[in-house]
Amino acid sequence: MNGLQDVRHGGRRVASGLVGGTRIETEIGWQRVEDVIPGTQIHTFDGGLRTLKSVIRARYGADLPKVYPEGLTLIPGGALGNCEALYVLPDQGILLAGAAVESVTGQHRVLVRGADIAGHGEIGLAMPVDGIEVVSLRFEDEEVVYANTGLCLHCPADGRAAVQSQAFPVLDAPAADLLMSCRFLEGHRASTRQRPRRVAAAV
């Protein structure tokens, strides 16, 4: 089908893409990201329904620890509005909003990298034991999609690039660290920053 690609990554790291098993909201309900195809209408954060132009899939098996040696970020259910636990790539953009965001950054909404939120609350690093499929979604323009109910994941305009945006400020690691500390303090959770801890694979 036009717009649907399975690529040989050749050991190269994909910066942006949703990990297989993640559910996104489409016109017909919640679907696993690996099941969506070009032409699907997907609910986006500020653009309503948007048509998916292309899908690029990359699979990592035994080579996963070499490509992503730091591991993937594992976000437990309920940590950031997500109803179930999910993995995100280290360079995947995550959109955050709320009182802590405005207090710390002076912005209504910001993007942070997946790797930069590990170590806060129960969010940690993990290595999926069975490998992963990464699905990069491309729209006409950059979009933010809903994942596992309430987590907002950024899809850059070219589908696979590292987090960059014309619409939202992108925080560097120290700023993201400060924001997450304040966010969890605000939510009456442990806010002591530790080294990103490696947790057992759970999904």
Side-chain angles (χ1 to χ4, degrees), residues 29-61:
W30 293 89
Q31 292 183 269
R32 297 185 307 173
V33 67
E34 60 267 41
D35 294 334
V36 299
I37 60 175
T40 301
Q41 294 279 302
I42 296 178
H43 286 277
T44 62
F45 179 75
D46 57 359
L49 284 169
R50 288 289 183 262
T51 301
L52 186 59
K53 297 296 184 183
S54 65
V55 176
I56 304 175
R57 296 171 176 159
R59 295 178 177 85
Y60 299 89

Side-chain angles (χ1 to χ4, degrees), residues 2 14 30 33 145 163 171 177 201:
N2 185 37
V14 173
W30 293 89
V33 67
V145 301
V163 58
L171 300 189
D177 182 8

